[in-house]
Amino acid sequence: QVQLVESGGGLVQAGGSLRLSCAASGRTFSNYATGWFRQAPGKEREFVAFVTAISWSGGSTIYEDSVKGRFTISRDNAKNTVYLQMNSLKPEDTAVYYCAVYRSGEFRRWQSYEYWGQGTQVTVSS
């Protein structure tokens, strides 16, 4: 069992930055591939970013096209935490952001993940 707790969301103006944190307990986080997803009101949960387990490929990263060059996913193994640094935020980034531990299958599909945090709200004003 893994417990995930997200934090760092808030209200920010367009062009601003936020850093989301996903703290894990129960297991060593670096052993698991992890993803960030987001869900806006009335929309499906969508993939944002993915980082592999350290044992896979040293923590390689993959991003959804709309966030490439603006968002960065990273790990702090000593803190058992995964981060999502979000820069140049846009109003369309407004959503509840979730981190999740990957299980198997296509990593862009939320159904491929087995443990989820409670989510943190990000609101970007224009």
Side-chain angles (χ1 to χ4, degrees):
Q1 189 78 13
V2 179
Q3 293 78 42
L4 303 177
V5 178
E6 300 101 332
S7 61
L11 173 64
V12 64
Q13 288 189 332
S17 298
L18 285 172
R19 188 178 78 159
L20 306 184
S21 299
C22 174
S25 61
R27 292 185 188 174
T28 301
F29 212 7
S30 60
N31 294 337
Y32 298 90
T34 304
W36 282 97
F37 287 76
R38 64 187 179 187
Q39 189 165 19
K43 294 188 177 182
E44 285 199 8
R45 192 166 297 190
E46 66 172 1
F47 169 75
V48 175
F50 179 81
V51 60
T52 64
I54 294 296
S55 59
W56 279 16
S57 56
S60 298
T61 59
I62 300 169
Y63 299 93
E64 194 269 332
D65 286 346
S66 68
V67 308
K68 280 181 184 176
R70 300 190 299 124
F71 290 12
T72 303
I73 187 171
S74 62
R75 292 185 179 276
D76 184 332
N77 297 328
K79 295 183 178 180
N80 223 26
T81 298
V82 170
Y83 300 100
L84 185 68
Q85 177 68 44
M86 306 187 297
N87 299 328
S88 302
L89 282 161
K90 304 175 181 180
E92 52 264 42
D93 295 318
T94 295
V96 178
Y97 283 71
Y98 300 89
C99 64
V101 171
Y102 173 77
R103 178 182 56 210
S104 63
E106 169 53 55
F107 63 85
R108 290 181 175 85
R109 298 179 73 241
W110 65 264
Q111 296 91 338
S112 299
Y113 294 74
E114 61 180 333
Y115 299 111
W116 292 83
Q118 82 289 350
T120 185
Q121 175 70 47
V122 171
T123 303
V124 184
S125 63
S126 57

